[in-house]
Amino acid sequence: MSEDTKQLMTLIQEEKDVFVRAEYGRLQSVMGAEYTENGEPRFFHPLPETQKDKGQPGNPDELKLAELAMLPHLVRAIPRLGTMSYMPLFRISPYETDRLRLLSDVHEKLLIGKPCTPEELHQLIDGHEEYMRSKKDDNVVVITSKY
């Protein structure tokens, strides 16, 4: 692995770690949770039966970047009075959704030896400090729906 690749992997890991630390409890609460895909029930990062039986929560450090990037797009179907309502399984800001997707895409490319685009590298490197600062700030950001 080249020195540049190692540096990029370090940046990606730092951002994943800071995201997981900041969202630890929320991530733990959705591990093993049911969501709906094409009308079929699925489970996000299913927990082992022994862990579920004992009521032990999952460990968000086990989540892969691809799982974190997919998480904001998952929806939960909730039956209500003869109708079906759909709500996001995990809400985060659009900025964070895009950042997780970028981290996941670049990470995957680096693992398989596929070259990243200059735009991807620019976004990753130039946005790193801002992202790290945003996750370490104590400022509370309220996320609201467009509707």
Side-chain angles (χ1 to χ4, degrees):
M1 190 180 292
S2 75
E3 197 58 39
D4 289 339
T5 300
K6 286 180 186 175
Q7 288 177 336
L8 293 173
M9 292 294 264
T10 300
L11 289 181
I12 291 168
Q13 189 61 45
E14 284 177 3
E15 289 190 32
K16 177 188 182 258
D17 290 346
V18 78
F19 176 80
V20 169
R21 289 282 80 66
E23 304 293 343
Y24 196 88
R26 291 180 59 216
L27 289 168
Q28 208 170 34
S29 73
V30 296
M31 291 180 73
E34 185 176 315
Y35 69 94
T36 305
E37 184 176 43
N38 298 325
E40 295 293 320
R42 305 254 190 265
F43 293 91
F44 177 73
H45 196 87
L47 300 174
E49 290 301 321
T50 55
Q51 199 169 345
K52 280 195 282 188
D53 292 343
K54 293 178 184 175
Q56 294 175 330
N59 179 359
D61 291 319
E62 296 173 357
L63 297 172
K64 294 178 175 56
L65 274 168
E67 289 176 305
L68 293 173
M70 140 178 111
L71 188 54
H73 304 287
L74 304 179
V75 294
R76 181 181 303 187
I78 304 167
R80 294 184 181 180
L81 302 171
T83 65
M84 192 64 73
S85 296
Y86 297 92
M87 66 179 270
L89 186 63
F90 193 85
R91 277 185 205 256
I92 56 175
S93 71
Y95 167 73
E96 224 161 14
T97 299
D98 293 343
R99 191 72 187 174
L100 287 173
R101 171 57 47 209
L102 173 70
L103 294 175
S104 178
D105 290 348
V106 171
H107 184 257
E108 184 67 27
K109 285 181 177 182
L110 293 174
L111 286 177
I112 62 174
K114 186 175 179 185
C116 298
T117 66
E119 183 180 281
E120 288 171 327
L121 294 175
H122 174 73
Q123 287 178 339
L124 178 64
I125 295 166
D126 291 351
H128 178 71
E129 287 303 318
E130 178 186 342
Y131 183 77
M132 295 297 287
R133 194 172 36 256
S134 75
K135 292 311 285 181
K136 290 179 180 179
D137 274 351
D138 290 335
N139 298 333
V140 175
V141 176
V142 177
I143 302 170
T144 60
S145 173
K146 295 188 255 183
Y147 309 102

